[in-house]
Amino acid sequence: MAEPLRTARAGALGEADAGREVRLAGWVASIRDHGGVLFVDLREATGVVQVVIDPVADPEVTELGRTLRDEYCIAVSGTVRLRPPGTANPDLPTGAVEVAATAVIVLSPSDPLPFRIDDRADVDENRRLEYRYLDLRRPRMAANLVARSRAMGAMRTTMLAQGFLEVDTPTLVKSTPEGARDVLVPSRLRQGSFYALPQSPQLFKQLLMVGGVERYYQIARCYRDEDFRADRQIEFTQLDIEGSFWDREGVFSALEPVIAAVARELRGVELPLPFPRITWHEAMRRYGSDKPDTRFGMELVDLGPVFTGTGFQAFAAVLAAGGLVAGINAGPRETTRSMLDGLVERARTLGAKGLVWAVVEADGTLRSPVAKHLGTPEQEGLKQALGAAPGDLLLLVGDRAKAARSVLGALRLDLGRPGGHDALDFLWVVDFPVFAVDDDGNLAPEHHPFTAPYRVEEMRNDPQNALSRAYDLVVNGVELGSGSERIHDPRVQREVFSILGISDAEAESRFGWFMRALRFGTPPHAGFAVGLDRLVMVLQDEPNIREVMPFPKTQTGYDPMTDSPSVVDDHQLRELGIDLRPEVRASLAGEPPGS
RNA sequence: GGGGGCGUGGUGAAGCUGGAGUUCACGCCGGCCUGUCAAGCCGGAGGUCGCGGGUUCGAGUCCCGUCGCCCCCGCCA
């Protein structure tokens, strides 16, 4: 492409270019003024090259050069030459050469910066977001933008090679109250009515299967109005796929090469395929989590057999009530009183009634607050069950099975989880239950209502044990996405709605349009959605998805750069038929946030 | 809704048991300097210690409240 301001790219210059007359353009990354000779590091997207301004050779250019400041946008004409002997910079890819400037133009000056462009200081994130366009010039964010682009490129290349059709779907869709909270958009032409932004393209991609597309993919923006986390924003991006005449195996075999291609592109590693699989039940039993981090052991062990008939009343009561006593071996580690107290407190905040710790002494005896309640056979059984050696710290929880597992699962992560993401342990978690039991003992659907159960009769007659044809992809304990085989039979769909407590009338008003579509020869189909932000986060070894999103929001959904969301004019509201509630108006009249 | 951490010149930090807005690094402004590359050396400017209240002779420091950011629980079919 024609670029009148430049004939070469800074980062690409090398010894082979010596003698070339070039025009370059970019930003002033650093200036070193020696009173005489002046060095300017010119940075652009491809890299950095040193520009030399020599007052003997060119007094006028030198005069201009002394007015340059950091991050001025400039154009430079000059000659590429080898650096004088002994002055090459081996730390710089272009360090063997420099550009002797014959002309410099300031394309655009820069105010003094709110923070340094290099990565040396951890700048307050609010400040980074306020000046995100400057943050994007910094090496970390620049690299993450490249990684994100290459991830999307690898996805598209691999999907196209597999014969998938990229289809985009609407972003103003019908609100479906179950699941996450919808982001709502008021309608002007139909006052009082609202669109929702899609939580996912779920129903549209199923309709594409009805429409004969057979193999669909899309890199789709999705919206869920729930509280923010390190890995959750109100809007995020998914690689969404769906295939007709597929079962789970079709999904896995289509997706695994995509993930492998992205890992190859960003990490230069070959992932071993196929990914391992684990059932949901086994994941919960061994790791206390439906998204196990399998990079380390420290697995949960059922200690019921050890404590059968125990004299330790707390555990005896748990077992008598049908609960679970389980434990982990946290391995050899320094234990101080405050550290152990901290673990007990942590277990309580996680919802456990208590936590029993035990340290194996050099002579094999157990040091533990409850040691006096445990007989010698129990102590020996405990050590054997947990594979304990002298110095090991053992942690035990007795509670309802679900609570005991989740607490131990969380402690396992606290104590064993690797700090970064050097290793990559992908795995499929399969055979999720149809329903999850919430804390009040009620059944709540674990997936959207278009997920096929293994058997509808089982779903109706034995809901707490029924399994669904749903699966998740997990890497290093991070949930990357989920999918399922879908219901393609409208009678089954109606039955499932009914079991989920959605009446025929309700199903008709909310999903009638979709149920009708299922009546016209719907192929069996299945699909998946991969969280792009999370995948790039892990591959770039970043601690949160904001680092791999160009313009993310803060935990309260605020954008410090644009001051969004913001109050709108009354006439805008009037056009939409919207009046703010009095208490909302009153709070707006008070102090504005952020001041 | 709940728990925790943080908030000090433009940036990042230190500031212990309450005693003058003190200190360090970077940046900024000015000067010196012809081979540096995070250039170096000299000088200078720059702060309502997030905000409000309280305790005290005296608060960056202690207490209460509040706002903002981050992490976690809840929530995320």
Coordinates of all heavy atoms in Angstrom, one line a residue, chain A residues 130-208:
Chain A
E130 N -8.1 5.3 31.6 CA -8.5 6.7 31.2 C -7.7 7.1 29.9 O -8.2 7.8 29.1 CB -8.1 7.6 32.4 CG -8.6 9.0 32.1 CD -8.3 9.9 33.3 OE1 -7.9 9.4 34.4 OE2 -8.4 11.1 33.2
Y131 N -6.4 6.6 29.8 CA -5.6 6.9 28.7 C -5.3 5.6 27.9 O -4.1 5.3 27.7 CB -4.3 7.6 29.1 CG -4.5 8.9 29.7 CD1 -4.6 9.1 31.1 CD2 -4.6 10.1 28.9 CE1 -4.7 10.3 31.7 CE2 -4.7 11.3 29.5 CZ -4.8 11.4 30.9 OH -5.0 12.7 31.4
R132 N -6.3 4.8 27.6 CA -6.1 3.5 27.1 C -5.3 3.6 25.8 O -4.5 2.7 25.5 CB -7.5 2.8 26.8 CG -7.3 1.3 26.5 CD -6.6 0.5 27.5 NE -7.0 -0.9 27.6 CZ -6.5 -1.8 28.5 NH1 -5.7 -1.4 29.4 NH2 -7.0 -3.0 28.4
Y133 N -5.6 4.6 25.0 CA -4.9 4.8 23.7 C -3.4 4.9 23.9 O -2.6 4.4 23.1 CB -5.4 6.0 22.9 CG -5.7 7.2 23.8 CD1 -4.7 8.1 24.1 CD2 -7.0 7.4 24.3 CE1 -4.9 9.2 24.9 CE2 -7.3 8.5 25.1 CZ -6.2 9.4 25.4 OH -6.5 10.4 26.2
L134 N -2.9 5.4 25.1 CA -1.5 5.5 25.4 C -1.1 4.1 25.9 O 0.0 3.6 25.6 CB -1.2 6.6 26.4 CG -1.4 8.0 25.9 CD1 -1.1 9.0 27.0 CD2 -0.6 8.3 24.6
D135 N -1.9 3.5 26.7 CA -1.6 2.2 27.3 C -1.4 1.2 26.2 O -0.6 0.3 26.3 CB -2.8 1.8 28.2 CG -2.4 0.6 29.1 OD1 -1.3 0.5 29.5 OD2 -3.3 -0.2 29.4
L136 N -2.1 1.4 25.1 CA -2.0 0.4 23.9 C -0.7 0.6 23.2 O -0.2 -0.3 22.5 CB -3.1 0.7 22.9 CG -4.6 0.4 23.4 CD1 -5.6 0.6 22.3 CD2 -4.7 -1.1 23.9
R137 N 0.0 1.7 23.5 CA 1.4 1.9 22.9 C 2.4 1.1 23.7 O 3.5 0.9 23.2 CB 1.8 3.3 22.9 CG 1.0 4.2 21.9 CD 1.6 5.6 21.9 NE 0.7 6.5 21.2 CZ 0.8 7.9 21.1 NH1 1.9 8.4 21.8 NH2 0.0 8.6 20.5
R138 N 2.1 0.7 24.9 CA 3.0 0.0 25.8 C 3.2 -1.4 25.3 O 2.3 -2.0 24.8 CB 2.6 0.1 27.2 CG 2.3 1.5 27.7 CD 1.6 1.5 29.1 NE 2.6 1.5 30.1 CZ 2.4 1.0 31.3 NH1 1.3 0.4 31.6 NH2 3.3 1.0 32.2
P139 N 4.4 -2.0 25.5 CA 4.7 -3.3 25.0 C 3.8 -4.4 25.4 O 3.4 -5.2 24.5 CB 6.1 -3.6 25.5 CG 6.7 -2.2 25.8 CD 5.6 -1.3 26.2
R140 N 3.4 -4.4 26.6 CA 2.5 -5.4 27.1 C 1.2 -5.4 26.3 O 0.7 -6.5 25.8 CB 2.2 -5.2 28.6 CG 1.2 -6.2 29.2 CD 0.9 -5.9 30.6 NE 0.2 -6.9 31.3 CZ 0.0 -6.8 32.6 NH1 0.4 -5.8 33.4 NH2 -0.7 -7.8 33.2
M141 N 0.5 -4.2 26.3 CA -0.8 -4.2 25.6 C -0.6 -4.4 24.1 O -1.5 -5.0 23.4 CB -1.5 -2.9 25.9 CG -2.1 -2.8 27.3 SD -3.3 -4.2 27.6 CE -4.5 -4.0 26.3
A142 N 0.4 -3.8 23.5 CA 0.7 -4.0 22.1 C 0.8 -5.4 21.8 O 0.2 -5.9 20.8 CB 1.9 -3.2 21.7
A143 N 1.5 -6.2 22.6 CA 1.7 -7.6 22.3 C 0.4 -8.3 22.5 O 0.1 -9.3 21.7 CB 2.8 -8.2 23.3
N144 N -0.4 -7.9 23.5 CA -1.7 -8.6 23.7 C -2.7 -8.4 22.5 O -3.5 -9.2 22.2 CB -2.3 -8.2 25.0 CG -1.5 -8.9 26.2 OD1 -0.8 -9.8 26.0 ND2 -1.7 -8.4 27.4
L145 N -2.6 -7.2 22.0 CA -3.5 -6.9 20.8 C -3.1 -7.8 19.6 O -3.9 -8.3 18.9 CB -3.4 -5.4 20.4 CG -4.1 -4.3 21.2 CD1 -4.0 -3.0 20.5 CD2 -5.5 -4.7 21.4
V146 N -1.8 -7.9 19.4 CA -1.3 -8.8 18.4 C -1.7 -10.2 18.6 O -2.2 -10.9 17.7 CB 0.3 -8.7 18.2 CG1 0.8 -9.8 17.3 CG2 0.7 -7.3 17.8
A147 N -1.6 -10.6 19.9 CA -2.0 -12.0 20.2 C -3.5 -12.3 19.9 O -3.9 -13.3 19.4 CB -1.6 -12.3 21.7
R148 N -4.2 -11.3 20.3 CA -5.7 -11.4 20.1 C -6.0 -11.5 18.7 O -6.8 -12.3 18.2 CB -6.4 -10.2 20.8 CG -7.9 -10.3 20.9 CD -8.5 -9.0 21.5 NE -9.9 -9.1 21.4 CZ -10.7 -9.4 22.4 NH1 -10.2 -9.8 23.6 NH2 -12.0 -9.5 22.3
S149 N -5.4 -10.6 17.9 CA -5.6 -10.7 16.4 C -5.2 -12.0 15.8 O -5.9 -12.6 15.0 CB -4.9 -9.5 15.8 OG -4.9 -9.6 14.4
R150 N -4.0 -12.5 16.2 CA -3.6 -13.7 15.7 C -4.4 -14.9 16.1 O -4.6 -15.9 15.4 CB -2.1 -14.0 16.1 CG -1.2 -13.0 15.4 CD 0.2 -13.1 16.0 NE 0.9 -14.3 15.6 CZ 2.2 -14.5 15.7 NH1 3.0 -13.5 16.2 NH2 2.7 -15.7 15.4
A151 N -5.0 -14.8 17.3 CA -5.9 -15.9 17.8 C -7.2 -15.9 16.9 O -7.6 -17.0 16.4 CB -6.3 -15.6 19.3
M152 N -7.7 -14.7 16.6 CA -8.9 -14.7 15.8 C -8.6 -15.1 14.4 O -9.4 -15.8 13.7 CB -9.5 -13.2 15.8 CG -10.1 -12.9 17.1 SD -11.2 -11.4 17.1 CE -10.0 -10.1 17.1
G153 N -7.4 -14.7 13.9 CA -7.0 -15.2 12.6 C -6.8 -16.7 12.5 O -7.3 -17.3 11.5
A154 N -6.2 -17.3 13.5 CA -6.0 -18.7 13.5 C -7.4 -19.4 13.6 O -7.6 -20.5 12.9 CB -5.2 -19.2 14.7
M155 N -8.3 -18.9 14.3 CA -9.7 -19.4 14.4 C -10.3 -19.4 13.0 O -10.9 -20.4 12.6 CB -10.5 -18.6 15.4 CG -10.2 -18.9 16.9 SD -11.1 -17.7 17.9 CE -10.6 -18.4 19.5
R156 N -10.3 -18.3 12.4 CA -11.0 -18.1 11.1 C -10.3 -19.1 10.1 O -11.0 -19.8 9.3 CB -10.9 -16.7 10.6 CG -11.8 -15.7 11.4 CD -12.2 -14.6 10.5 NE -13.4 -13.9 11.1 CZ -13.3 -12.9 11.9 NH1 -12.1 -12.4 12.3 NH2 -14.4 -12.4 12.5
T157 N -9.0 -19.1 10.0 CA -8.3 -20.0 9.1 C -8.7 -21.4 9.3 O -9.0 -22.1 8.3 CB -6.8 -19.8 9.3 OG1 -6.4 -18.5 9.1 CG2 -6.0 -20.7 8.3
T158 N -8.7 -21.9 10.5 CA -9.0 -23.3 10.8 C -10.5 -23.6 10.5 O -10.8 -24.7 10.0 CB -8.7 -23.6 12.3 OG1 -7.4 -23.0 12.6 CG2 -8.6 -25.1 12.5
M159 N -11.4 -22.7 10.9 CA -12.8 -22.9 10.6 C -13.1 -23.0 9.1 O -13.8 -23.9 8.7 CB -13.6 -21.8 11.3 CG -13.6 -21.7 12.8 SD -13.7 -23.2 13.7 CE -15.4 -23.7 13.4
L160 N -12.5 -22.1 8.4 CA -12.7 -22.0 6.9 C -12.1 -23.3 6.3 O -12.8 -23.9 5.4 CB -12.0 -20.8 6.3 CG -12.7 -19.5 6.5 CD1 -11.8 -18.3 6.0 CD2 -14.1 -19.5 5.8
A161 N -10.9 -23.8 6.8 CA -10.3 -25.0 6.2 C -11.3 -26.2 6.5 O -11.2 -27.2 5.7 CB -9.0 -25.2 6.8
Q162 N -12.0 -26.1 7.5 CA -13.0 -27.2 7.8 C -14.3 -27.1 7.2 O -15.2 -27.8 7.4 CB -13.1 -27.4 9.4 CG -11.9 -27.8 10.1 CD -12.1 -28.1 11.6 OE1 -12.7 -29.2 11.9 NE2 -11.8 -27.2 12.4
G163 N -14.4 -26.0 6.3 CA -15.7 -25.9 5.6 C -16.8 -25.2 6.4 O -18.0 -25.3 6.0
F164 N -16.4 -24.4 7.4 CA -17.5 -23.7 8.1 C -17.8 -22.4 7.4 O -17.0 -21.8 6.8 CB -17.0 -23.4 9.6 CG -17.1 -24.5 10.5 CD1 -16.1 -25.6 10.4 CD2 -18.0 -24.6 11.5 CE1 -16.2 -26.7 11.2 CE2 -18.1 -25.7 12.3 CZ -17.2 -26.7 12.2
L165 N -19.1 -22.0 7.6 CA -19.6 -20.8 7.1 C -19.7 -19.7 8.2 O -20.2 -20.0 9.2 CB -21.0 -21.0 6.5 CG -21.6 -20.0 5.5 CD1 -20.8 -20.1 4.2 CD2 -23.0 -20.3 5.2
E166 N -19.1 -18.6 8.0 CA -19.2 -17.5 9.0 C -20.5 -16.7 8.8 O -20.7 -16.2 7.7 CB -18.0 -16.5 8.9 CG -18.0 -15.4 9.9 CD -16.7 -14.7 10.0 OE1 -15.8 -14.8 9.2 OE2 -16.6 -13.8 11.0
V167 N -21.3 -16.7 9.7 CA -22.6 -16.1 9.6 C -22.8 -15.1 10.8 O -22.6 -15.6 12.0 CB -23.8 -17.1 9.6 CG1 -25.1 -16.3 9.4 CG2 -23.6 -18.1 8.5
D168 N -23.1 -13.9 10.6 CA -23.3 -13.0 11.7 C -24.8 -12.9 12.1 O -25.7 -13.2 11.2 CB -22.8 -11.6 11.5 CG -23.2 -11.0 10.1 OD1 -23.5 -11.8 9.2 OD2 -23.2 -9.8 10.0
T169 N -25.1 -12.7 13.3 CA -26.5 -12.7 13.8 C -26.8 -11.4 14.5 O -25.9 -10.7 14.8 CB -26.6 -13.9 14.8 OG1 -25.6 -13.8 15.8 CG2 -26.5 -15.2 14.1
P170 N -28.1 -11.1 14.7 CA -28.4 -9.8 15.3 C -27.9 -9.6 16.7 O -27.6 -10.5 17.5 CB -29.9 -9.8 15.3 CG -30.3 -11.0 14.4 CD -29.2 -11.9 14.5
T171 N -27.6 -8.3 17.0 CA -27.3 -7.9 18.4 C -28.4 -7.3 19.1 O -28.3 -7.0 20.3 CB -26.1 -7.0 18.4 OG1 -26.4 -5.9 17.5 CG2 -24.8 -7.6 17.9
L172 N -29.5 -7.1 18.4 CA -30.7 -6.6 19.1 C -31.7 -7.8 19.0 O -32.2 -8.1 17.9 CB -31.3 -5.3 18.4 CG -30.4 -4.1 18.6 CD1 -30.9 -3.0 17.8 CD2 -30.3 -3.7 20.0
V173 N -31.9 -8.4 20.1 CA -32.7 -9.7 20.1 C -33.7 -9.7 21.2 O -33.9 -8.7 22.0 CB -31.7 -10.9 20.3 CG1 -30.7 -10.9 19.2 CG2 -31.1 -10.9 21.7
K174 N -34.5 -10.8 21.2 CA -35.6 -10.9 22.2 C -35.0 -11.2 23.6 O -34.1 -12.0 23.7 CB -36.5 -12.0 21.7 CG -37.8 -12.1 22.6 CD -38.7 -13.2 22.0 CE -39.9 -13.5 22.8 NZ -40.8 -12.3 22.8
S175 N -35.5 -10.6 24.6 CA -35.1 -10.8 25.9 C -35.6 -12.2 26.4 O -36.8 -12.5 26.2 CB -35.6 -9.7 26.9 OG -35.3 -10.1 28.2
T176 N -34.7 -13.0 27.0 CA -35.1 -14.3 27.6 C -34.7 -14.2 29.1 O -33.5 -14.3 29.4 CB -34.5 -15.4 26.9 OG1 -33.1 -15.2 26.9 CG2 -35.0 -15.6 25.5
P177 N -35.7 -14.1 30.0 CA -35.4 -13.8 31.4 C -34.6 -14.8 32.1 O -33.9 -14.5 33.1 CB -36.8 -13.6 32.0 CG -37.7 -13.4 30.9 CD -37.1 -14.1 29.7
E178 N -34.6 -16.1 31.7 CA -33.8 -17.0 32.5 C -32.3 -16.8 32.1 O -31.9 -16.2 31.2 CB -34.2 -18.5 32.2 CG -34.1 -18.9 30.8 CD -35.3 -18.4 30.0 OE1 -36.5 -18.6 30.4 OE2 -35.1 -17.7 29.0
G179 N -31.5 -17.5 33.0 CA -30.0 -17.3 32.7 C -29.5 -16.0 33.3 O -30.0 -15.5 34.3
A180 N -28.5 -15.5 32.7 CA -27.9 -14.2 33.2 C -28.9 -13.1 32.9 O -29.8 -13.2 32.2 CB -26.6 -13.9 32.5
R181 N -28.7 -12.0 33.7 CA -29.4 -10.8 33.5 C -29.2 -10.2 32.1 O -28.0 -10.2 31.6 CB -29.0 -9.8 34.5 CG -30.0 -8.7 34.9 CD -29.5 -7.9 36.1 NE -29.6 -8.5 37.4 CZ -28.6 -8.9 38.1 NH1 -27.4 -8.7 37.7 NH2 -28.8 -9.5 39.3
D182 N -30.2 -9.8 31.3 CA -30.0 -9.3 30.0 C -29.6 -7.8 30.1 O -30.0 -7.1 31.0 CB -31.4 -9.3 29.2 CG -31.7 -10.7 28.6 OD1 -30.7 -11.4 28.3 OD2 -32.9 -11.0 28.6
V183 N -28.8 -7.4 29.1 CA -28.6 -6.0 28.9 C -29.7 -5.5 28.0 O -29.9 -6.1 26.9 CB -27.2 -5.7 28.2 CG1 -27.0 -4.2 27.9 CG2 -26.1 -6.3 29.0
L184 N -30.5 -4.5 28.4 CA -31.7 -4.2 27.7 C -31.5 -2.9 26.9 O -30.7 -2.0 27.3 CB -32.8 -4.0 28.7 CG -33.3 -5.2 29.4 CD1 -34.4 -4.9 30.4 CD2 -33.8 -6.3 28.4
V185 N -32.2 -2.8 25.8 CA -32.1 -1.6 24.9 C -33.6 -1.2 24.6 O -34.3 -2.0 24.0 CB -31.4 -1.9 23.6 CG1 -31.4 -0.7 22.7 CG2 -30.0 -2.5 23.8
P186 N -34.0 0.0 25.0 CA -35.3 0.4 24.8 C -35.6 0.7 23.4 O -34.8 1.2 22.6 CB -35.5 1.7 25.7 CG -34.1 2.2 25.8 CD -33.2 1.0 25.7
S187 N -36.9 0.4 23.0 CA -37.3 0.7 21.6 C -38.0 2.0 21.5 O -38.9 2.3 22.3 CB -38.2 -0.5 21.1 OG -38.9 -0.1 19.9
R188 N -37.6 2.8 20.5 CA -38.3 4.1 20.3 C -39.6 3.9 19.5 O -40.7 4.5 19.9 CB -37.4 5.1 19.5 CG -38.1 6.4 19.2 CD -37.1 7.3 18.4 NE -36.7 6.7 17.2 CZ -37.4 6.7 16.0 NH1 -38.5 7.4 15.9 NH2 -36.9 6.2 14.9
L189 N -39.6 3.0 18.5 CA -40.8 2.8 17.7 C -41.8 2.0 18.4 O -43.0 2.1 18.0 CB -40.4 2.2 16.4 CG -39.4 3.0 15.5 CD1 -39.0 2.3 14.3 CD2 -40.1 4.3 15.1
R190 N -41.4 1.3 19.4 CA -42.4 0.5 20.2 C -42.2 0.8 21.6 O -41.5 0.0 22.3 CB -42.3 -1.0 19.9 CG -42.7 -1.4 18.5 CD -42.4 -2.8 18.2 NE -42.8 -3.2 16.8 CZ -44.0 -3.7 16.5 NH1 -44.9 -4.0 17.5 NH2 -44.3 -4.0 15.3
Q191 N -42.6 2.0 22.0 CA -42.3 2.4 23.4 C -42.8 1.4 24.4 O -43.9 0.9 24.3 CB -43.0 3.8 23.6 CG -42.4 4.9 22.7 CD -42.9 6.3 23.2 OE1 -43.7 6.4 24.0 NE2 -42.2 7.3 22.7
G192 N -42.0 1.3 25.4 CA -42.4 0.3 26.5 C -41.8 -1.1 26.2 O -41.9 -1.9 27.1
S193 N -41.3 -1.3 25.0 CA -40.8 -2.6 24.7 C -39.2 -2.5 24.6 O -38.7 -1.4 24.4 CB -41.3 -3.1 23.3 OG -42.7 -3.4 23.4
F194 N -38.6 -3.6 24.8 CA -37.1 -3.6 24.9 C -36.6 -4.7 24.1 O -37.1 -5.8 24.0 CB -36.7 -3.8 26.4 CG -37.0 -2.6 27.2 CD1 -38.3 -2.5 27.7 CD2 -36.1 -1.6 27.6 CE1 -38.7 -1.4 28.5 CE2 -36.4 -0.6 28.4 CZ -37.7 -0.4 28.8
Y195 N -35.4 -4.4 23.4 CA -34.6 -5.5 22.9 C -33.7 -5.9 24.1 O -33.5 -5.2 25.0 CB -33.7 -5.0 21.8 CG -34.4 -4.4 20.6 CD1 -34.5 -3.1 20.4 CD2 -35.0 -5.3 19.6 CE1 -35.2 -2.5 19.3 CE2 -35.6 -4.7 18.5 CZ -35.7 -3.3 18.4 OH -36.3 -2.8 17.3
A196 N -33.0 -7.1 23.9 CA -31.9 -7.5 24.7 C -30.7 -7.6 23.8 O -30.9 -7.9 22.6 CB -32.2 -8.8 25.4
L197 N -29.5 -7.3 24.3 CA -28.3 -7.7 23.6 C -28.1 -9.2 23.9 O -28.4 -9.7 25.0 CB -27.1 -6.9 24.1 CG -27.3 -5.4 23.9 CD1 -26.1 -4.6 24.5 CD2 -27.5 -5.0 22.5
P198 N -27.6 -10.0 22.9 CA -27.5 -11.4 23.1 C -26.5 -11.9 24.2 O -25.4 -11.4 24.2 CB -27.1 -11.9 21.7 CG -26.4 -10.7 21.1 CD -27.1 -9.5 21.6
Q199 N -27.0 -12.8 25.0 CA -26.1 -13.5 25.9 C -25.2 -14.4 25.2 O -24.1 -14.7 25.6 CB -26.9 -14.2 27.0 CG -27.7 -13.2 27.9 CD -28.4 -14.0 29.0 OE1 -28.0 -15.1 29.4 NE2 -29.4 -13.4 29.5
S200 N -25.7 -14.9 24.0 CA -25.0 -15.7 23.1 C -25.9 -15.8 21.9 O -27.1 -15.5 22.0 CB -24.7 -17.1 23.6 OG -25.8 -17.9 23.5
P201 N -25.4 -16.2 20.7 CA -26.2 -16.3 19.5 C -27.0 -17.7 19.6 O -27.4 -18.2 18.5 CB -25.3 -16.3 18.4 CG -24.0 -15.9 18.9 CD -24.0 -16.3 20.3
Q202 N -27.2 -18.2 20.7 CA -27.7 -19.6 20.9 C -28.9 -20.0 19.9 O -28.8 -20.9 19.1 CB -28.2 -19.8 22.3 CG -28.7 -21.3 22.6 CD -27.6 -22.3 22.3 OE1 -26.4 -22.0 22.6 NE2 -28.0 -23.4 21.7
L203 N -30.0 -19.3 20.0 CA -31.1 -19.7 19.2 C -31.0 -19.4 17.7 O -31.4 -20.2 16.9 CB -32.4 -19.1 19.8 CG -32.8 -19.6 21.2 CD1 -34.0 -18.9 21.7 CD2 -33.0 -21.1 21.2
F204 N -30.3 -18.3 17.4 CA -30.0 -18.0 16.0 C -29.2 -19.1 15.4 O -29.4 -19.5 14.2 CB -29.4 -16.6 15.9 CG -30.4 -15.5 16.1 CD1 -30.5 -14.9 17.4 CD2 -31.3 -15.1 15.1 CE1 -31.4 -13.9 17.6 CE2 -32.2 -14.1 15.4 CZ -32.3 -13.5 16.6
K205 N -28.2 -19.6 16.1 CA -27.3 -20.6 15.4 C -28.1 -21.9 15.3 O -27.9 -22.6 14.3 CB -26.0 -20.7 16.2 CG -26.0 -21.4 17.5 CD -24.6 -21.6 18.0 CE -24.5 -22.1 19.4 NZ -23.1 -22.3 19.8
Q206 N -29.0 -22.2 16.2 CA -29.8 -23.4 16.0 C -30.7 -23.2 14.8 O -30.9 -24.1 14.0 CB -30.6 -23.7 17.3 CG -29.8 -24.1 18.4 CD -30.6 -24.7 19.6 OE1 -30.5 -24.2 20.7 NE2 -31.3 -25.8 19.3
L207 N -31.2 -22.0 14.6 CA -32.1 -21.7 13.4 C -31.3 -21.8 12.2 O -31.8 -22.2 11.1 CB -32.7 -20.3 13.6 CG -33.7 -20.2 14.7 CD1 -34.3 -18.8 14.7 CD2 -34.9 -21.2 14.6
L208 N -30.0 -21.5 12.2 CA -29.1 -21.7 11.1 C -29.0 -23.1 10.7 O -28.9 -23.5 9.5 CB -27.7 -21.1 11.3 CG -27.7 -19.5 11.4 CD1 -26.3 -19.1 11.8 CD2 -28.1 -18.9 10.0

